[in-house]
Structure formats: structure tokens, C-alpha cells
Amino acid sequence: MTKNAAEAAHSRGDDRGEIVIAYGTGFGATSPAVPSGTVSPASPAAQTVLPVRASLNGGTGAVNAPVEFAGLTPGYVGLYQVNIRVPADAPTGPTVELTIEQDGVTSAPVTLPVTFTSTNVRASVAVVNANRFPELV
């Protein structure tokens, strides 16, 4: 998926309280360990060994966003996902930047529109690029 496709997928906006799912590669070791080239299991889920953090920045400062899961995507080889809850105090607007950090390395930002009316939890997708996410796909 390209950056433009990821942005188009979010054109309706993510509400505070919703889950945003970021996909990427290069997040390292998991527990349980999954050998390279092997399909990731669904149960138990292979979670990253090193913690993953996420933040949202709307231009007035960043807020931490809770990471509810960081690990390999079940049924895929080498594809990681990070499930991030948009916090109640998240900035709103059409150009909120999501960044992900692990072990001192921070991703390039992905722009997501965030709205403030939340009654449902909908899944959305962001793309964070390969090999410790130096740039977007």
C-alpha cells in the first residue's frame, strides 16, 4: 500500500477511542519466537520483545497513544502490526501525525485525520515501512 492509499483509507477520519492498526516490518524478536520465513501463529500471538510506543501530534504537541498489541500479524510471514487506541485527548483535524517508536528509533510520520465524535470502534490501517521504518512505503 502506498502512502496515498493509506491516506485515502483514512479520509473519513478516526474517532477518539478507535483502534488504528499500523503495519510494518523490522520490529525484531517476538515472544513466542517465530523463525524467519515462518507463518505467524494466531494463538498464542507473537508479541514484540522490545516495547513499542505510539504518539499522535496535531501541531500543538504530541500525546501518547496506548499500544494495545505489537507483534507479528497472524497468518503472515514477517509482517508486524501495532494496534493503537486513539486517546480521548488526541489532537483532532485532517493532518494528525502518527509516529511509532521502538528502542530509540522513531518512524517517519503517517498522517491521519482524527475526529472527536466517537460511538463505535472501527479499525483503520496505517502503513509504517520496512526495516525499522525509515520511510513510508
Side-chain angles (χ1 to χ4, degrees):
M1 182 182 283
T2 66
K3 179 180 177 184
N4 289 340
E7 289 175 352
H10 287 82
S11 61
R12 64 155 178 79
D14 294 302
D15 288 344
R16 290 174 171 166
E18 287 188 327
I19 301 293
V20 172
I21 303 172
Y23 292 95
T25 60
F27 288 88
T30 61
S31 178
V34 176
S36 182
T38 303
V39 173
S40 180
S43 181
Q47 298 187 42
T48 58
V49 172
L50 295 175
V52 175
R53 294 176 222 7
S55 65
L56 294 166
N57 188 339
T60 58
V63 296
N64 292 327
V67 172
E68 298 195 355
F69 173 79
L72 288 167
T73 304
Y76 289 85
V77 176
L79 179 65
Y80 292 80
Q81 74 180 61
V82 181
N83 298 359
I84 304 156
R85 182 159 307 271
V86 179
D89 62 345
T92 59
T95 59
V96 176
E97 293 183 342
L98 165 68
T99 56
I100 296 173
E101 184 270 327
Q102 182 190 42
D103 197 28
V105 178
T106 302
S107 71
V110 175
T111 302
L112 305 173
V114 176
T115 59
F116 61 89
T117 57
S118 180
T119 55
N120 298 316
V121 175
R122 297 184 298 245
S124 297
V125 178
V127 177
V128 179
N129 195 14
N131 301 319
R132 302 290 275 176
F133 31 82
E135 45 186 275
L136 295 176
V137 174

